[in-house]
Amino acid sequence: MGSPSSVSRSRSLIQHSTPGAAQKWLTLDGTEPLVIAKGGHSGLYPDSSGDGYGTAKDYSLPSASLWCDVRLTKDGFGICLPELTMDNCTDISNWYPNGAKNYTVNGVPQRGWFSVDYSLNDLYSVTLSRSIFSRSDIFDGIYQILTVDDLQQLKKPRLWLNIQHDKFYTDHKLNMTSYLLNITRTFAVGYVSSPELSFLRRVAPRLNDSNTQAVFRFLESGEVEPSTGVTYGSLLNNLTFISTFASGIMVPKNYIWPVNKDLELASASTSVVQDARKAGLKVFAAGFANDFEFAYDYSFDPLKEYLNFVDNGNFSVDGVLTDSPLTASAAIGCLSHINSSAPSSGKPVVISYGGAGGMFPSCTDLAYKKAVEDGADYIDCPVQVTEDGVLVCLPDIDLFSGTTISKSSFRTRISTIPGIKSTPGAYTFNFTWEEIQKNLKPEISTPYLKDYGLLRNPSKRNAGAFLNLTEFLALAKENPPRSGVLISIEHAPFLLENLGFGVTDEVLKALNASDLKQEVIIQSTNSSVLKKVQQLNSSSKLMYKIEEFILDVEASAVKDIAGFASFVAVSKKSIYPDNIKFLLNKTRVVEKFKAEKLPVFAYLFQNEFLSVSWDVYNDPIADINLFVKGAGVEGLITEFPATAEAFRTLVRGQQHSALLDPVTPTVLVNLSRLDPLPPSPPPLADSDVVEPPLPSGPIRPSSVPPALSPAGPSAAPAATASSAAVVLLATTVVCLFLI
């Protein structure tokens, strides 16, 4: 059959350093928890593939174990497949379209393609495919099925063989017991697990000669164990009996830390670990992966979840079964036993995006306080203007983003203003600050809800309070971030020309009035804004945000930006473009800006696995490392400052991890069969940067064609002069609709 191989990458094994290794682990025997790579690195490659096993071996902790779900072929060979029915994890139906059979497995009728109907030679051309359909399919059809014997080529680490459906194989005149005992005598098998109590009792005493440990595997608590007819949940009351033949138990992770239907973590762990310890049993937790749905309490950061199981101050599980062994290895080998109160490394510089906008509604008091607590160097305020001229911190000029306006009586007060965007919106300058405060609530962003159904924490959906700029600056003085604040000014030319409102001047007045002692960064996509600030306020640093997707930048544009900006903010995809989350070659955008001594900040970092490339294994910390060490960015803009701080902790602790060796782009995409991308966009040119200067002070609104005003049952009875100017600009008919 096939042989395990490893994709070549510029990484090295995780090596321990003294902070984590010097302290005693709260495991049964005081040793480091075991990383068990389920089917290799099955979070990326098809489960039980050659590159999956090779990657797990090369980039996990040296002590890690490789998990194989053993299935028997018709001629008695053991193969590694995650499912009993092969059609969910291979392309066997293409090779044997009439091969589906009906069998009863542990009393349950099943239909599909089963390994017991095929010899090893019959399966030679059959290839593996993803068994979890939310994962990428580009590696389907590449890897051959591996036998347990094939894994001997890896030599290290020791194998973990999981055995299930013993009676099914017996019914087909195959002897799983004899096969297993022969394998354990042939080469090193560290662990054998099974969810079938009678089978494990029978083989466990005969495993002692090979120094192989037997582990009883619990399935979900309501499922019935086939040999006893009782539920696995009930068997938790028989741990002393289990200890007579097993050295440990493996349980789904929710046995230890329950999660309710709203994906909220229980306030305390169960007593499962302590009860097992009393019986002298090790405890292994199962069900970990970077792209699985897990408790919102972990804020989509898989490292936090691992640490809650291995370094919570009360106990450490003895091992974790995971589809993402690199992340588990980093949690155990690098981030455990770290003094989180020690000074941060300070690099990269961390700027919040709406505060901790991934955990609370953006731009609320709670989001900002959380960002400060989580170690943000700068907290940000995207300034918007209300009808009565109040400067407020809101994520967008359109209230449909970040507020509950779609559920309010104001949802019909919309207009289409091409100077801002082509679709209808409810713009802040058509509402007074009082109207916003009294009638709307903040709403957490859900960037992956529409396409993927992925929510952010519903319990925090409307938490926190809106802030105006004055209140934001006061909060920054009372709860100071490490370095200062970032004020984002957008649509300034539009507001000045059509409302006569000089938002740039008003922001500078508010800053002067606040007497803020910390550093201030003014950010804008408008060069005219930054040039005006440069003229009026030399103390603020200036960040030019490039909102376009670019793959290159002309030298003249770089020089022009260097003439007025202190920093440049560039999208992640402009640094590392990708093809459906597979990295392509790094651009020279960062390099060209740094050549003109312009530090680059990358945006936008999020924790959800959907925002992170496959090349970094859907790991948000590895994603940060890619841009910091791989591209050389100065800082990052993130909705999850705590994750950025965890990265700085990793660097500060000087633990060496595969996470700290940036990946080589194009390795995975070259393995795939992806279609080529469309032609690249043109380089950023000087003409994209240069703008007419902003006039000084307020000006009279220009004359524009009349249009309908925002209307509806809650529309204001009379418009102010400023709102009338905006109303006139709306050159398309106002849409009246209910959402």
Side-chain angles (χ1 to χ4, degrees):
M1 297 299 289
S3 61
S5 60
S6 177
V7 175
S8 175
R9 297 194 180 223
S10 300
R11 294 195 172 190
S12 51
L13 295 174
I14 292 178
Q15 301 170 1
H16 290 296
S17 63
T18 53
Q23 298 193 37
K24 183 177 175 66
W25 288 96
L26 300 178
T27 53
L28 179 65
D29 56 9
T31 60
E32 171 187 271
L34 181 68
V35 174
I36 311 155
K38 184 182 179 298
H41 202 306
S42 54
L44 174 61
Y45 301 99
D47 194 301
S48 307
S49 66
D51 276 333
Y53 282 124
T55 300
K57 171 186 174 290
D58 289 345
Y59 307 127
S60 300
L61 287 168
S63 61
S65 189
L66 300 182
W67 170 285
C68 166
D69 286 293
V70 181
R71 317 292 174 187
L72 293 181
T73 63
K74 182 168 63 175
D75 47 351
F77 284 89
I79 58 175
C80 299
L81 286 177
E83 306 284 347
L84 180 65
T85 51
M86 299 178 65
D87 44 308
N88 192 42
C89 55
T90 73
D91 64 352
I92 192 168
S93 61
N94 295 336
W95 295 95
Y96 302 100
N98 300 316
K101 297 286 184 67
N102 295 302
Y103 291 125
T104 299
V105 182
N106 290 338
V108 179
Q110 292 196 34
R111 180 173 176 79
W113 282 255
F114 296 83
S115 61
V116 295
D117 294 319
Y118 303 92
S119 69
L120 187 62
N121 190 59
D122 292 335
L123 299 177
Y124 181 80
S125 298
V126 176
T127 59
L128 298 170
S129 59
R130 57 182 177 154
S131 56
I132 296 176
F133 294 121
S134 60
R135 291 176 176 166
S136 175
D137 63 353
I138 71 163
F139 298 121
D140 291 359
I142 295 177
Y143 300 101
Q144 290 181 296
I145 296 171
L146 297 180
T147 66
V148 176
D149 294 75
D150 288 330
L151 298 187
Q152 292 184 73
Q153 297 179 36
L154 292 171
K155 296 181 180 178
K156 281 189 175 183
R158 301 180 78 186
L159 296 184
W160 185 308
L161 302 182
N162 183 60
I163 311 296
Q164 196 169 352
H165 308 118
D166 172 57
K167 184 179 183 301
F168 173 74
Y169 294 110
T170 301
D171 291 343
H172 288 80
K173 298 180 173 50
L174 294 167
N175 193 322
M176 181 63 85
T177 300
S178 295
Y179 170 79
L180 178 64
L181 295 176
N182 181 58
I183 280 290
T184 55
R185 286 193 294 265
T186 303
F187 63 97
V189 175
Y191 298 85
V192 168
S193 62
S194 178
E196 296 172 357
L197 192 145
S198 61
F199 171 79
L200 200 65
R201 283 187 71 193
R202 185 169 67 251
V203 301
R206 303 170 69 180
L207 294 174
N208 292 334
D209 294 340
S210 59
N211 199 30
T212 301
Q213 298 185 44
V215 176
F216 181 66
R217 185 183 182 192
F218 284 76
L219 302 183
E220 293 298 332
S221 59
E223 292 190 46
V224 175
E225 195 282 319
S227 63
T228 61
V230 301
T231 64
Y232 286 97
S234 300
L235 285 174
L236 278 177
N237 298 318
N238 295 286
L239 294 180
T240 301
F241 167 64
I242 291 172
S243 71
T244 62
F245 58 87
S247 63
I249 60 173
M250 175 173 282
V251 298
K253 61 186 180 182
N254 59 17
Y255 275 44
I256 300 170
W257 281 104
V259 177
N260 67 21
K261 61 181 179 60
D262 296 320
L263 295 182
E264 295 173 329
L265 196 65
S267 58
S269 63
T270 67
S271 63
V272 165
V273 174
Q274 290 81 358
D275 295 342
R277 294 280 191 269
K278 292 175 184 176
L281 291 166
K282 292 182 177 181
V283 180
F284 302 92
F288 293 88
N290 290 1
D291 57 350
F292 283 178
E293 196 172 53
F294 46 92
Y296 291 119
D297 305 69
Y298 302 125
S299 58
F300 301 99
D301 184 351
L303 281 164
K304 285 186 177 181
E305 183 180 37
Y306 288 116
L307 291 172
N308 200 33
F309 283 81
V310 302
D311 190 25
N312 59 39
N314 296 315
F315 63 82
S316 302
V317 296
D318 298 273
V320 292
L321 176 64
T322 175
D323 293 16
S324 308
L326 176 59
T327 304
S329 295
I332 294 168
C334 306
L335 282 171
S336 296
H337 304 156
I338 292 292
N339 177 12
S340 59
S341 63
S344 171
S345 66
K347 297 291 183 180
V349 178
V350 177
I351 300 176
S352 74
Y353 188 81
M359 300 181 66
F360 291 93
S362 295
C363 304
T364 58
D365 57 340
L366 295 181
Y368 289 129
K369 289 176 181 177
K370 182 62 176 170
V372 172
E373 176 188 326
D374 288 345
D377 297 301
Y378 297 85
I379 54 174
D380 67 302
C381 169
V383 169
Q384 315 299 340
V385 180
T386 65
E387 185 182 62
D388 48 345
V390 179
L391 301 178
V392 298
C393 300
L394 287 170
D396 199 274
I397 196 170
D398 183 359
L399 292 169
F400 279 99
S401 173
T403 81
T404 56
I405 195 168
S406 65
K407 303 173 187 66
S408 78
S409 60
F410 289 156
R411 64 188 181 276
T412 57
R413 281 175 62 175
I414 59 174
S415 52
T416 301
I417 302 178
I420 298 178
K421 63 179 184 178
S422 59
T423 54
Y427 298 106
T428 59
F429 45 68
N430 281 330
F431 298 84
T432 66
W433 179 225
E434 183 179 16
E435 284 179 320
I436 293 171
Q437 285 183 300
K438 288 187 175 181
N439 297 281
L440 304 181
K441 293 180 180 179
E443 187 162 78
I444 199 167
S445 65
T446 52
Y448 302 105
L449 175 61
K450 181 179 178 181
D451 293 333
Y452 302 99
L454 187 63
L455 287 168
R456 286 177 172 172
N457 195 344
S459 69
K460 303 291 193 296
R461 182 174 184 174
N462 304 119
F466 296 122
L467 298 177
N468 60 36
L469 179 59
T470 300
E471 292 166 337
F472 167 80
L473 295 172
L475 182 149
K477 291 172 70 174
E478 294 168 9
N479 301 272
R482 291 176 178 173
S483 299
V485 299
L486 179 145
I487 310 296
S488 177
I489 302 174
E490 298 299 338
H491 308 292
F494 170 87
L495 295 170
L496 189 58
E497 180 180 352
N498 298 288
L499 281 92
F501 191 89
V503 61
T504 307
D505 298 87
E506 295 303 316
V507 165
L508 296 178
K509 287 179 186 177
L511 287 169
N512 290 333
S514 72
D515 195 31
L516 187 70
K517 304 301 182 186
Q518 291 185 293
E519 191 170 82
V520 175
I521 298 175
I522 304 293
Q523 175 186 272
S524 183
T525 59
N526 295 118
S527 61
S528 57
V529 169
L530 300 183
K531 288 179 179 180
K532 183 166 187 178
V533 175
Q534 189 180 46
Q535 295 169 2
L536 300 177
N537 185 344
S538 60
S539 64
S540 294
K541 293 189 175 180
L542 308 177
M543 179 178 289
Y544 183 59
K545 182 178 180 181
I546 300 171
E547 58 184 343
E548 300 95 334
F549 166 57
I550 61 171
L551 295 178
D552 198 3
V553 54
E554 293 181 357
S556 58
V558 174
K559 288 187 178 297
D560 188 71
I561 295 169
F564 61 82
S566 317
F567 315 103
V568 181
V570 177
S571 70
K572 290 169 64 180
K573 286 193 175 186
S574 294
I575 301 170
Y576 283 107
D578 68 84
N579 190 354
I580 59 169
K581 289 181 55 181
F582 288 93
L583 294 180
L584 306 176
N585 280 318
K586 180 177 65 176
T587 70
R588 296 184 60 208
V589 168
V590 174
E591 176 188 335
K592 289 185 175 183
F593 280 119
K594 290 178 71 173
E596 289 292 329
K597 303 190 184 312
L598 269 176
V600 176
F601 283 69
Y603 71 89
L604 174 68
F605 287 85
Q606 299 168 319
N607 280 3
E608 288 94 341
F609 71 91
L610 293 161
S611 73
V612 181
S613 73
W614 294 108
D615 298 69
V616 295
Y617 309 126
N618 296 318
D619 187 309
I621 283 188
D623 187 45
I624 291 172
N625 185 68
L626 173 67
F627 286 85
V628 174
K629 292 198 170 183
V633 300
E634 175 75 10
L636 49 95
I637 299 171
T638 176
E639 291 187 295
F640 295 90
T643 303
E645 179 64 7
F647 170 77
R648 296 196 294 198
T649 298
L650 193 63
V651 175
R652 181 193 68 215
Q654 297 180 341
Q655 277 86 350
H656 190 90
S657 164
L659 284 176
L660 297 184
D661 293 324
V663 301
T664 303
T666 74
V667 169
L668 292 183
V669 80
N670 289 341
L671 282 176
S672 72
R673 295 154 295 179
L674 290 172
D675 294 330
L677 288 174
S680 301
L684 187 75
D686 202 48
S687 58
D688 299 313
V689 177
V690 176
E691 297 176 347
L694 286 177
S696 298
I699 62 172
R700 292 174 64 91
S702 61
S703 176
V704 294
L708 294 176
S709 64
S714 300
T720 64
S722 62
S723 66
V726 177
V727 166
L728 289 175
L729 185 70
T731 57
T732 57
V733 176
V734 173
C735 301
L736 299 177
F737 63 96
L738 297 177
I739 297 176

